[in-house]
Each structure stands twice: as C-alpha cells, then as structure tokens.
Amino acid sequence: MDQDATQALRAASSLDDLYAVFDTNRMTAGWHKKRPSLWREPRSDFRPMHWRYGEAALALDRAGEWVGTELAERRNLLLFNPVGDNDYDTVRTLVAAYQMIMPGEHAYAHRHTPNALRVVLDAGPGLYTVVEGVKLPMCEGDVLLTPNWAWHSHYNEGNRPAYWIDMLDVPFVHLLEPMFYEQHPDKIQPVTSEPNEHPYAYPLAWAREQIAACPVQPDGTRRFVLPATQHMPTMKLGYTQLPRGTASAPARSTASRVFAVLEGGGTAQIGDMRTEWHRGDVLAVPSWTAFSFTADEDAILFEANDEPTLVPFNLLRVDPAPVLPA
Ligand SMILES: [Fe+2]
C-alpha cells in the first residue's frame, strides 16, 4: 500500500470508511465479502443438457456449404452449456463437439496440451486419423485418442461425409492455464506406421468383447472402463451397456460427465431434465447431478468424466456411496 492508503486507513472513523479504503486497494474483508466462498455441498451452475445427432449433422451439412477445412481448421460444432456467458464448456472440465469432414478433405495437423478423443459416428472406408505419424482407421463406434501434445490430423479419402464426436479436457486446461498449441510447420504430418492395433485406438468390436466379459451390475448394466488413463490422465473413459428394459441405478458424484450414445435409445433423467435419447446423441451431466438412463432398446453409452482430476485430492464423492464387498 502506498502513502495515501496508510493515511486513509488512519483517517477512517468507521468500518464503512475502512471498507472503502480496502476496496480502493483491492482488498476485501473476509467477514464482509459479497458472496460466500464455502457452501454445504456442490452447487454447479452447469445444467443437464442433451444434443441430438440428427440436428447436429444437418447443421454441419449446412455449414459445409460455406465452410471448408481451409477456412476452419476443424469443421466442428461446439456443445456449450448455457451458464453465464459461457459459449464453450459442455461441463466444467470437458468440452464435446460434433465434427464433420467431407470426401477429399483433410484437417491439418496440430497439437495442443489438452487431451482429445474421437467417438466415430458415421464413417465409410477411407476415413482415418494420424496421431504422431501413426495412421489409425476411423470406423463406426471406434474411440481414438490424441493425447496431450500429440500431432494429429484427420483425412477422408472416402466418398461420403464422415461424422464423429470430439471430447476434450480444454476447459480443465483453461482453469489451470497451461495451454500450449501449435500448427504443424508443414501442415501435413508424414505417416510413419500403419499398425493393425494401437493403444490409442479402441475399435467397437473389441469394446463389445470387453463389455461382455464384465460382470452384470445389480441394476442390470455392464460397465467397462478403458485402460486409457496412462494416455489420458485427466479423463476416465468407459462404456455402459444397458440391455433393453434396464435402467441404470440413479446416482450422482462430484465428477462431471459427457455421454455419447453409441447404439440404442431410451430415456434419461438428469437432474430435473427428462429426455429421450438416440444413437449419436450427446448428454451432459454436471457435477453432483443425479442421473439415470433407461434403455428402450439394447444400448451402449460411451462416457468421459473427470474423476482422475478429483481422486488424487480426495475430491471425489459418490452418492449413494459404493457398497464394498463384505
Ligand atoms: Fe486438436
């Protein structure tokens, strides 16, 4: 504080006088702050949300009449949560987007510190991504990872538009601020290998086998968590399989979640939102919001959540608490 502040503090004849001096010097009395800093339990401003694939695909088709990959490095449609002036975050720590790439197009190589993944919705032969020089085919239902600082670019050498869902931890990186991003100096990265399988690629057929080997939960669902944490340390990724007629047990936790419907359809109750979902839809579950999915036909949901950012700091709370085996 400068000399003026010292004089003003000495001259104050009431608390109100002091508050004015505090304010001028960008200080606030903890007992007199405008809003509480602690509260009894989480109270996310983020809302339960649902975006429909059919509408998103049409929106991207229309945009494709004007926007090429020359203009838009990625032709994507961000799914933002209408909270405050937010126009990016889907939930507090994650963002989801639909992306479309037309035949003959490629999305230039770039890399960034946020982790990213793709959930492929519609793809014909000739769709692939290149991650750190590794060419990985993109087929319907596949999940592909592009971890922190990995060069990645996408190609459609087929004869029809391809669509997928991106999920990234960009909002988490925004919160902590270690954002780095760069475009590839040559725009296109060379392909150095084309393996049959790779730790960044999870084909749907493989996922089905893993899901089938998982035990049936008391609510009738099967759940399989991808062994991807070493590549995507901020996100827990997994599948929930719901046979027709089952409903996942209502639960909430401090994790924020984004779901993509890989197959099937049904209804969901997320907080106070009740909605009917179908293949390709995206649903957002904010922190501490109870949710349950009911399947009207055999369904598989893919989920990304931010549990790994909470667990090391003892910030993950689950309600109801998991029942431990006796
Ligand atoms: Fe990217």
Side-chain angles (χ1 to χ4, degrees):
M1 285 193 290
D2 57 23
Q3 190 67 25
D4 289 348
T6 305
Q7 288 176 355
L9 287 169
R10 290 204 169 112
S13 58
S14 70
L15 261 179
D16 283 341
D17 287 354
L18 273 184
Y19 293 151
V21 182
F22 292 171
D23 193 53
T24 303
N25 289 278
R26 289 156 302 279
M27 300 187 294
T28 297
W31 66 90
H32 189 251
K33 56 185 181 294
K34 290 178 188 165
R35 55 187 74 90
S37 54
L38 305 169
W39 39 88
R40 200 176 67 80
E41 63 175 37
R43 49 179 206 188
S44 180
D45 290 330
F46 284 76
R47 298 188 203 167
M49 296 293 294
H50 176 194
W51 292 270
R52 297 179 193 282
Y53 177 36
E55 294 167 4
L58 178 59
L60 284 167
D61 289 346
R62 294 302 328 270
E65 295 173 26
W66 295 279
V67 179
T69 45
E70 289 284 340
L71 175 64
E73 193 172 354
R74 300 290 188 258
R75 187 192 292 108
N76 56 8
L77 204 56
L78 298 157
L79 308 180
F80 73 88
N81 203 294
V83 47
D85 65 351
N86 174 55
D87 62 358
Y88 186 84
D89 305 358
T90 304
V91 288
R92 174 67 75 188
T93 49
L94 303 170
V95 63
Y98 286 100
Q99 185 163 168
M100 186 269 274
I101 181 167
M102 292 202 277
E105 285 185 336
H106 61 267
Y108 293 134
H110 69 203
R111 63 179 176 178
H112 37 67
T113 45
N115 296 284
L117 64 88
R118 334 275 156 213
V119 182
V120 183
L121 294 177
D122 276 295
L127 184 74
Y128 61 93
T129 189
V130 180
V131 184
E132 286 289 308
V134 180
K135 180 177 175 179
L136 302 169
M138 300 175 79
C139 303
E140 289 178 11
D142 291 1
V143 173
L144 300 116
L145 311 185
T146 55
N148 180 331
W149 213 235
W151 290 114
H152 53 281
S153 41
H154 316 300
Y155 302 79
N156 186 354
E157 294 177 352
N159 56 15
R160 61 182 170 98
Y163 305 81
W164 64 81
I165 297 166
D166 297 307
M167 296 182 183
L168 301 92
D169 59 7
V170 171
F172 179 71
V173 175
H174 285 166
L175 286 168
L176 298 185
E177 302 191 327
M179 176 66 75
F180 292 91
Y181 158 81
E182 65 183 20
Q183 295 175 317
H184 196 284
D186 303 325
K187 285 197 168 182
I188 295 172
Q189 59 172 324
V191 173
T192 55
S193 68
E194 197 171 342
N196 288 328
E197 53 185 57
H198 191 274
Y200 294 170
Y202 303 100
L204 179 58
W206 174 85
R208 283 187 201 281
E209 290 174 13
Q210 308 306 310
I211 295 166
C214 292
V216 177
Q217 301 294 314
D219 60 5
T221 65
R222 279 191 163 94
R223 299 174 190 210
F224 171 61
V225 176
L226 275 182
T229 311
Q230 59 181 313
H231 309 302
M232 309 283 278
T234 59
M235 284 188 257
K236 181 176 174 181
L237 312 175
Y239 303 82
T240 302
Q241 183 187 52
L242 299 104
R244 188 166 77 93
T246 58
S248 63
R252 62 179 177 172
S253 89
T254 49
S256 297
R257 301 166 196 278
V258 178
F259 286 90
V261 181
L262 280 182
E263 65 181 36
T267 55
Q269 184 75 45
I270 306 174
D272 58 7
M273 178 183 77
R274 185 164 188 83
T275 190
E276 192 173 310
W277 47 269
H278 301 279
R279 180 182 181 276
D281 290 0
V282 172
L283 297 108
V285 181
S287 175
W288 212 236
T289 302
F291 65 98
S292 172
F293 289 90
T294 301
D296 296 334
E297 50 189 298
D298 290 350
I300 298 178
L301 307 175
F302 176 80
E303 171 189 359
N305 68 52
D306 63 5
E307 279 188 21
T309 69
L310 300 165
V311 169
F313 312 106
N314 196 25
L315 293 173
L316 180 67
R317 300 285 194 282
V318 179
D319 175 32
V323 178
L324 298 174

